[in-house]
Amino acid sequence: MEVWHVLAICTLMVPLFLIANYVVVKWAAKSRNEREDRIERAIAMSVARDMGPQKFSKKRPRRKF
């Protein structure tokens, strides 16, 4: 191959690399946000379950954190 062939191929590969990088980063950000949302929902459900009104009676004092 001549030098200009190599330069042409490299020039054409740069936009493809940028597009692939964009897609991968968007996918990673989406999966990270979904994972954080799942963790937050699980924590909220756990706190709601532990601090719900059925857990406490008037005879027992509340737990202090």
Side-chain angles (χ1 to χ4, degrees):
M1 291 177 91
E2 294 184 22
V3 174
W4 72 272
H5 285 117
V6 174
L7 289 176
I9 291 172
C10 291
T11 304
L12 292 174
M13 293 299 282
V14 168
L16 293 175
F17 169 76
L18 294 176
I19 291 170
N21 190 30
Y22 175 78
V23 170
V24 169
V25 168
K26 289 289 279 186
W27 176 80
K30 181 181 174 187
S31 65
R32 180 178 178 180
N33 287 338
E34 289 174 354
R35 184 173 55 247
E36 287 177 356
D37 288 343
R38 278 196 311 267
I39 291 170
E40 287 180 12
R41 280 196 304 269
I43 291 171
M45 288 172 55
S46 174
V47 169
R49 184 177 59 242
D50 290 344
M51 300 301 289
Q54 69 275 13
K55 281 284 202 177
F56 301 106
S57 68
K58 295 187 187 229
K59 299 176 184 175
R60 244 183 348 158
R62 273 192 177 191
R63 288 190 308 200
K64 305 277 189 214
F65 291 106

